[in-house]
């Protein structure tokens, strides 16, 4: 009863979506608890791994736990029946006063026990089972003085004891408490003179215990769900950072390579052909401005590449490096869903040709579901096909549902991206 109400409050607090967790995203998640571990211990483990950010769902749960005394107190209303029985009994005032005091102490101990339970969940560590057994024993003892006056209605206290056991003891030990309480509900009314048997109270005991266990499971699952959502969010952040790194690498790598080649060419032409050198310097300035704009667009998530534009840039870069371009096909020959990954392929491959190949000729072949870039340069050195650029290109190809093949080809180097 009591735990159902107060745990329900915690469930409500835990179930609220939102609030970013400071989850570490460590592989493996929380350490696996034994199936029979106390619910309090499992809740504490889950909350500890949900992180310490003030805005996390776990911290909302902690705040709810600190206010949980109210929910615990609400369920004390079910002690009204034994109180009424004591007040209406025809025993002496002293016995009635003793019985009422016993129930007051029972209620106070119950509230203090759950207050400590909530505090330990919020702060940790969980008290040992032996301490919990002592608290449960104290509750049983406090019911004894009231039993002769309250008669069978005193059994309502057994429900509180069973529910507390569900929350604070390992499952096997809690089952012992529930079984003992159920036995008391059945046996005591039949052997104590003046008590009336009501087997329906056993069902109430079992339902309340099952409800408490279910609420505890719900709390744990809600915290685990929140942590799983946070891991997904963290992975999305990592993925976005990797995407940004690939884009910046590809954009600056290509553009700076062309700028370097054109600047070297302009330096050689200053004395031989000043007018052309001036044009090359103007193009270097334009490329630098374009690179700055591209970086800004990439950071803002607005950068896109198109195959037709990249083919034009490829010709410009190869011409500046003195490499002949042979283009077979056109951008429009490629299927639309492959054009972006083909554009990145042209950008990265041509950058590598200009930088590393020492080639005199580069051939780009565009087909509907395949693109090939091959040069007649020096080929690849060991490890050349695993650089950052090709590694990023392989990731793009995988995401586009295509396959990247890169390696030496008859003295040169070949890059192929094609549909499987």
């Amino acid at each position: 009863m009591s735990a159902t109400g107060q745990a329900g409050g915690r469930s409500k607090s835990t179930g609220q979506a939102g609030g970013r967790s400071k989850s570490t995203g460590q592989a493996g998640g929380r350490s696996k608890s034994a199936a029979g571990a106390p619910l309090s211990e499992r809740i504490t483990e889950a909350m500890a791994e949900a992180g310490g950010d003030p805005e996390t769902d776990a911290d909302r749960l902690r705040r709810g736990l600190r206010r949980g005394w109210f929910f615990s107190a609400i369920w004390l209303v079910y002690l009204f029946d034994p109180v009424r029985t004591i007040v209406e009994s025809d025993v002496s005032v002293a016995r009635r006063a003793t019985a009422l005091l016993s129930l007051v102490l029972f209620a106070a101990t119950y509230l203090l026990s759950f207050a400590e339970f909530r505090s330990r969940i919020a702060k940790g560590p969980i008290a040992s089972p032996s301490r919990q057994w002592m608290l449960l024993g104290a509750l049983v003892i406090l019911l004894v003085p009231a039993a002769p006056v309250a008669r069978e209605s005193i059994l309502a206290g057994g429900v509180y004891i069973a529910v507390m056991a569900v929350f604070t003891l390992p499952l096997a030990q809690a089952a012992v408490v529930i079984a003992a309480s159920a036995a008391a509900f059945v046996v005591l009314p039949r052997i104590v003179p003046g008590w009336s048997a009501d087997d329906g109270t056993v069902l109430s005991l079992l339902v309340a215990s099952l409800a408490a266990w279910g609420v505890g499971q719900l709390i744990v699952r809600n915290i685990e769900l929140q942590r799983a959502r946070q891991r997904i969010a963290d992975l999305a952040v990592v993925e976005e950072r990797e995407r940004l790194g690939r884009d910046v690498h590809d954009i600056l790598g290509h553009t700076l390579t062309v700028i370097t080649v054109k600047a070297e060419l302009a330096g050689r032409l200053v004395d031989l052909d000043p007018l052309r050198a001036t044009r090359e310097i103007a193009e270097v300035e334009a490329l630098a401005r374009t690179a700055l704009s591209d970086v800004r667009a990439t950071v803002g998530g607005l950068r896109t590449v198109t195959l037709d534009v990249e083919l034009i840039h490829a010709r410009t870069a190869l011409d500046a490096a003195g490499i002949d371009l042979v283009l077979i096909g056109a951008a429009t020959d490629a299927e639309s869903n492959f054009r972006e990954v083909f554009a990145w392929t042209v950008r990265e491959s041509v950058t590598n040709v200009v930088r590393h190949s020492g080639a005199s000729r580069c051939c780009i072949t565009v087909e509907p579901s395949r693109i090939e870039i091959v040069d007649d340069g020096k080929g690849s050195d060991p490890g050349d096909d695993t650089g950052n650029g090709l590694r990023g290109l392989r990731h793009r190809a995988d995401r586009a549902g295509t396959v990247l093949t890169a390696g030496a080809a008859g003295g040169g180097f070949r890059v192929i991206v094609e549909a499987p």
Side-chain angles (χ1 to χ4, degrees):
M1 283 182 185
S2 52
T4 304
Q6 61 90 30
R10 284 176 291 172
S11 175
K12 180 179 179 182
S13 173
T14 309
Q16 296 173 345
R20 193 174 185 280
S21 169
K22 201 175 180 181
S23 169
T24 60
Q26 295 175 350
R30 71 177 178 90
S31 59
K32 296 183 179 179
S33 302
L39 285 174
S40 54
E41 181 178 327
R42 297 179 61 196
I43 293 171
T44 300
E45 286 183 1
M47 288 171 60
E49 294 185 13
D53 190 292
E55 293 305 315
T56 65
D57 284 349
D59 287 321
R60 290 192 184 93
L61 177 57
R62 291 185 177 98
R63 292 194 294 272
L65 289 171
R66 288 193 291 268
R67 296 190 295 268
W69 66 268
F70 176 74
F71 296 97
S72 301
I74 286 178
W75 297 98
L76 289 176
V77 68
Y78 287 99
L79 289 178
F80 174 78
D81 189 41
V83 169
R84 179 177 57 81
T85 303
I86 293 172
V87 171
E88 295 177 353
S89 67
D90 55 1
V91 299
S92 66
V93 174
R95 291 185 62 188
R96 279 184 286 174
T98 301
L100 289 174
L101 178 61
S102 177
L103 285 183
V104 169
L105 292 176
F106 174 88
T109 304
Y110 162 79
L111 290 177
L112 290 175
S113 298
F114 262 112
E116 182 187 34
F117 163 70
R118 291 189 297 269
S119 176
R120 289 183 179 274
I121 284 182
K123 299 177 182 179
I126 297 299
S128 65
S130 60
R131 178 179 175 81
Q132 301 303 331
W133 276 106
M134 291 176 60
L135 290 173
L136 294 174
L139 290 174
V140 173
I141 292 172
L142 287 172
L143 290 178
V144 173
V149 182
R151 299 190 300 274
E152 70 276 0
S153 63
I154 199 64
L155 295 176
V159 177
Y160 294 88
I161 295 171
V163 169
M164 180 175 286
V166 169
F167 273 99
T168 59
L169 292 177
L171 188 57
Q173 297 181 28
V176 171
V177 174
I178 295 171
S181 299
F185 278 33
V186 173
V187 174
L188 289 179
R190 289 174 168 81
I191 65 174
V192 177
W195 285 28
S196 301
D198 182 4
D199 292 339
T201 56
V202 177
L203 179 61
S204 299
L205 171 71
L206 297 178
V207 169
S209 302
L210 181 61
W213 182 82
V215 168
Q217 294 294 320
L218 181 61
I219 292 172
V220 174
R221 296 296 180 267
N222 281 339
I223 297 174
E224 291 174 345
L225 176 60
Q226 185 273 336
R227 191 169 65 251
R229 288 173 176 167
Q230 186 53 45
R231 287 202 190 98
I232 293 172
D234 289 343
L235 290 174
V237 170
V238 172
E239 174 68 17
E240 179 61 16
R241 288 174 179 168
E242 292 179 350
R243 181 200 66 80
L244 184 61
R246 288 193 301 270
D247 288 357
V248 170
H249 171 275
D250 293 345
I251 291 167
L252 291 183
H254 174 82
T255 305
L256 293 179
T257 297
V258 178
I259 288 175
T260 301
V261 172
K262 283 186 169 291
E264 292 175 350
L265 178 59
R268 293 196 298 268
L269 292 175
V270 167
D271 296 327
L272 300 176
D273 190 347
L275 291 179
R276 185 179 175 188
T278 302
R279 289 197 301 270
E280 294 294 338
I281 293 298
E283 290 183 10
V284 167
E285 179 183 359
L287 284 169
R289 293 181 183 277
T290 299
L292 179 60
S293 176
D294 286 347
V295 169
R296 287 173 175 169
T298 298
V299 172
L302 303 176
R303 179 71 164 86
T304 59
V305 297
T306 58
L307 183 56
D308 52 350
V309 171
E310 292 305 322
L311 289 173
I312 295 172
H313 288 170
R315 184 176 295 278
T316 301
L318 293 170
D319 285 347
I323 301 173
D324 294 332
L325 171 63
V326 177
L327 177 60
I328 301 174
T332 53
D333 293 340
E335 296 180 9
S336 58
N337 56 317
F338 295 133
R339 288 178 187 173
E340 182 175 356
V341 69
F342 286 0
W344 285 111
T345 304
V346 170
R347 173 180 281 268
E348 176 60 29
S349 300
V350 170
T351 299
N352 288 338
V353 170
V354 173
R355 276 182 175 176
H356 311 301
S357 71
S360 60
R361 181 175 180 272
C362 177
C363 179
I364 301 177
T365 303
V366 182
E367 299 176 3
S369 58
R370 181 179 185 274
I371 190 168
E372 179 186 70
I373 298 92
V374 60
D375 63 71
D376 62 353
K378 62 182 181 180
S380 62
D381 294 328
D384 278 354
D385 62 342
T386 58
N388 287 332
L390 284 177
R391 189 158 49 243
L393 182 58
R394 189 178 303 279
H395 182 80
R396 295 182 193 277
D398 291 342
R399 293 187 62 181
T402 55
V403 177
L404 168 67
T405 304
F413 194 81
R414 174 184 287 112
V415 175
I416 300 174
V417 172
E418 57 188 341

